[in-house]
Amino acid sequence: MSGTVHLLVSRGDLCHGGLLLVLSRWSLVLRALGSGPQLSRSLQESYRLLQLPDAGHSSPVQVKEAYLRLAKLYHPDCGAPTADAVLFSRVEEAYRAVLAHQSRTKKPGGGKELEDEEYQRSAFAHRHYLSYDGVGSGTPSQRERQYRQIRADRASDQVLDYRQREHERAAAAEGALVERDTRQRSRKIKITQAVERLVEDLIQESMARGDFRNLSGAGKPLNKFEHNPYADPMTHNLNRILIDNGYQPAWVVTQRDIREATAQIRKRLLEGRARLCDPMTPGEQYLWEQLCESVEEELAKLNKTVDIYNLIVPMLKMQMVHFSLSREIDRAVRGAHQHRLDQQREREEERERRKEENAAAKQRNTNQGLMYWLQTLLGIKH
């Protein structure tokens, strides 16, 4: 009987102890929920720097609006007179600190933060380093937010490094181009100076040999204003020296090329039309059309050259008009007709010349026969 009573008393003590343990845990939870968050001095300074009205109960929207308002004032690139890089960095650090504090104290879903803490207590130590590259501390949700922020910071740092490398590469390339241009310019200057010294030495040698003593204009002034009285003497003399030594401007060379190409085209048309009959047979008509098509392509190229010539020619009255295929064909037809008339006249003249030569030869033979007969009659020996 006494053993049974002792057992009941011991079981009652055990239940009473378990009840006390449960009550103590709930008291700790209630104390944690009832006591507000204790802010450190640096965190209070961050709230004060962001100019938030209530340091302990500011919403994330209010924190973001306060940060954007201060960034517009103090950002170095905002262009405002209040721009300050140091103060903006302090505002950014305060903004990050406040966001981190709010992420730690936020309890969505009615006690989710407590559940994360319980999970952190119950999880093994090595479980914390199975994800997020071992970065951060706290609950999994907190470490995830910290890991995302660290990845964003790494990405921004990589972008800045990439831009810096690109700027350095561009500066190096530009420096190489400047150095190469400098070398080429110095090389051209050296070549020019060497050529000038060579020319001067040749002139001095010619003067020493007396090659300039028998010139037609020795001792007389240069004829400065013979062709262009509106040009200055130096430019006119330089142009005349260049022309005397075979130099030709670009428009003169282009004009010569146009003349040569025009002469070749007209010669082809004239010879091709002269070989054909008048009127032409169907076969000759086909050959003539083929020739005209090829000439039309050459005239198109020639007209492009004429456009280039008109752009560089110095005087408006020296410009040329485009060449037309119909005009060139008419010219070739008239030339071929005139060529046939000239050939016919030459043949008639050749026929008359031969007749005269035959008559002269016949008269000469007759005279020789009479002379031979008289000599034979008179007995004169040859």
Side-chain angles (χ1 to χ4, degrees):
M1 181 66 180
S2 62
T4 303
V5 173
H6 181 70
L7 181 60
L8 291 174
V9 171
S10 62
R11 287 183 178 179
D13 292 338
L14 182 60
C15 293
H16 180 68
L19 181 60
L20 289 177
L21 179 60
V22 172
L23 291 176
S24 63
R25 288 186 177 180
W26 275 103
S27 63
L28 291 175
V29 172
L30 292 175
R31 188 182 297 112
L33 293 175
S35 60
Q38 299 296 328
L39 301 179
S40 62
R41 182 172 300 176
S42 60
L43 192 57
Q44 292 178 359
E45 180 65 22
S46 298
Y47 275 98
R48 187 191 61 78
L49 188 60
L50 291 176
Q51 300 177 4
L52 294 173
D54 191 355
H57 302 283
S58 298
S59 63
V61 177
Q62 294 176 350
V63 174
K64 186 175 181 180
E65 291 178 353
Y67 170 71
L68 293 177
R69 184 177 67 255
L70 295 176
K72 292 178 181 179
L73 292 176
Y74 302 124
H75 196 279
D77 299 333
C78 66
T82 58
D84 190 350
V86 177
L87 187 55
F88 174 73
S89 64
R90 290 179 57 193
V91 169
E92 190 173 9
E93 292 177 358
Y95 174 64
R96 292 183 179 180
V98 171
L99 287 182
H101 172 258
Q102 289 188 350
S103 65
R104 287 194 302 270
T105 57
K106 186 177 180 182
K107 305 178 182 58
K112 184 178 179 182
E113 193 72 23
L114 293 176
E115 293 177 0
D116 292 342
E117 291 179 359
E118 291 294 334
Y119 174 78
Q120 183 182 6
R121 293 194 198 98
S122 61
F124 294 100
H126 64 275
R127 289 290 187 90
H128 294 280
Y129 300 97
L130 293 178
S131 61
Y132 310 128
D133 298 335
V135 176
S137 61
T139 62
S141 60
Q142 292 176 356
R143 294 180 61 245
E144 182 181 2
R145 288 191 292 270
Q146 295 173 14
Y147 181 66
R148 289 179 180 176
Q149 183 64 35
I150 290 174
R151 288 188 61 184
D153 294 340
R154 288 177 183 173
S156 61
D157 293 340
Q158 291 178 0
V159 169
L160 292 177
D161 294 340
Y162 174 76
R163 290 180 178 177
Q164 184 178 1
R165 289 195 302 271
E166 289 296 325
H167 286 308
E168 292 176 355
R169 189 181 296 109
E174 185 177 359
L177 289 176
V178 172
E179 184 178 359
R180 187 183 64 182
D181 293 341
T182 304
R183 289 198 302 268
Q184 291 180 355
R185 188 161 51 251
S186 62
R187 184 170 177 271
K188 289 181 180 179
I189 292 173
K190 290 180 181 179
I191 293 174
T192 304
Q193 292 176 355
V195 171
E196 289 178 355
R197 289 195 298 270
L198 178 61
V199 172
E200 185 66 25
D201 294 341
L202 293 176
I203 292 175
Q204 294 297 330
E205 291 178 2
S206 299
M207 292 176 63
R209 290 195 304 266
D211 295 339
F212 299 148
R213 294 176 182 175
N214 298 324
L215 296 178
S216 59
K220 298 180 182 180
L222 295 176
N223 192 1
K224 301 179 181 178
F225 308 108
E226 181 178 357
H227 300 290
N228 191 1
Y230 301 101
D232 59 290
M234 181 63 67
T235 303
H236 181 76
N237 291 334
L238 290 175
N239 292 336
R240 189 175 61 81
I241 291 172
L242 291 174
I243 293 173
D244 293 342
N245 287 274
Y247 173 79
Q248 293 180 348
W251 66 271
V252 174
V253 177
T254 308
Q255 187 184 41
R256 182 190 60 195
D257 295 340
I258 292 173
R259 287 199 302 267
E260 293 177 355
T262 306
Q264 292 179 0
I265 292 173
R266 290 175 177 174
K267 183 179 180 181
R268 282 186 57 194
L269 284 174
L270 181 60
E271 292 178 352
R273 187 65 182 86
R275 287 194 298 266
L276 304 177
C277 300
D278 192 12
M280 294 182 291
T281 62
E284 292 177 345
Q285 183 69 29
Y286 176 76
L287 295 176
W288 175 247
E289 290 177 357
Q290 293 292 327
L291 178 62
C292 292
E293 289 179 359
S294 62
V295 168
E296 186 177 7
E297 295 178 358
E298 295 180 2
L299 286 178
K301 297 179 182 179
L302 183 61
N303 289 331
K304 292 182 180 179
T305 308
V306 170
D307 294 335
I308 297 174
Y309 168 78
N310 292 334
L311 291 175
I312 61 177
V313 69
M315 288 179 287
L316 185 62
K317 65 180 182 179
M318 297 180 64
Q319 290 187 349
M320 297 182 180
V321 296
H322 283 185
F323 293 92
S324 175
L325 179 62
S326 59
R327 290 198 300 268
E328 298 301 327
I329 290 175
D330 294 340
R331 181 193 293 269
V333 170
R334 291 195 301 270
H337 180 66
Q338 185 66 32
H339 181 67
R340 292 192 189 93
L341 294 179
D342 294 339
Q343 286 181 346
Q344 185 177 0
R345 185 172 61 253
E346 289 177 359
R347 287 195 296 269
E348 292 177 355
E349 291 177 355
E350 181 68 17
R351 193 180 299 112
E352 293 293 334
R353 185 176 61 80
R354 288 180 179 179
K355 287 181 179 180
E356 292 177 357
E357 289 179 355
N358 293 333
K362 187 182 293 186
Q363 184 66 30
R364 188 167 52 254
N365 292 332
T366 303
N367 294 335
Q368 289 178 358
L370 290 174
M371 291 295 298
Y372 181 77
W373 182 76
L374 288 174
Q375 290 177 0
T376 304
L377 182 64
L378 296 176
I380 300 174
K381 296 181 178 180
H382 296 286

